[in-house]
Amino acid sequence: MINKVKKALAVVINNWNAMSASGSDDAEGTANEFEASFYEFIDVVREWADTLDERPRTVEEMMELPLIQEVLDLLPAPLVLNFETEAELIADKITRIDDAKYD
C-alpha cells in the first residue's frame, strides 16, 4: 500500500510540473489532469490510512506518520496546505462528495 501512495504522489508531482510548465494553449487540460491526479492521490492516502492498525484520529497525528512526512518532503510547497486540509478530512473520517472536490 505504501508503494501505491508513492506512485500516486509521483503522478501528482509529474502533473504539477507539467501544469506549471504548460503554455496558455494547454493550461486547462494540464490543470484538469493535475486536479484529477491530486484527488486520486488523496483517495489512495485515505485507503492507506484505513489499513493502519492505529488510524490517526487527528490531523496532527496524521502529519507525524513517517509516510506522511515523506509525502510532505516531496510535495511542492503550494500543495502542502491543500494536502493538510485533505489529511484533516481523512483523520476525521469525512469523505468529500465528488462535486465538492473541485470547488
Side-chain angles (χ1 to χ4, degrees):
M1 189 48 120
I2 289 174
N3 285 336
K4 191 173 178 182
V5 171
K6 289 180 180 182
K7 285 179 184 178
L9 175 60
V11 171
V12 167
I13 292 170
N14 185 50
N15 287 340
W16 172 262
N17 291 336
M19 183 181 72
S20 299
S22 71
S24 60
D25 291 344
D26 40 292
E28 183 178 352
T30 57
N32 289 339
E33 260 185 73
F34 161 72
E35 185 175 54
S37 68
F38 181 79
Y39 287 108
E40 287 172 21
F41 164 66
I42 294 302
D43 289 343
V44 171
V45 171
R46 180 183 310 281
E47 285 177 41
W48 168 78
D50 288 343
T51 67
L52 296 174
D53 291 336
E54 288 193 37
R55 195 178 190 289
R57 291 171 283 156
T58 66
V59 70
E60 291 80 13
E61 288 178 10
M62 183 90 168
M63 293 296 123
E64 291 174 5
L65 297 171
L67 179 60
I68 300 303
Q69 285 294 308
E70 191 175 335
V71 165
L72 291 172
D73 288 344
L74 296 172
L75 205 60
L79 301 179
V80 171
L81 182 59
N82 296 46
F83 179 77
E84 288 176 349
T85 300
E86 296 299 326
E88 184 172 6
L89 294 173
I90 291 169
D92 291 342
K93 296 182 181 181
I94 297 171
T95 303
R96 288 183 189 260
I97 299 169
D98 283 342
D99 290 348
K101 289 180 181 177
Y102 302 104
D103 289 341

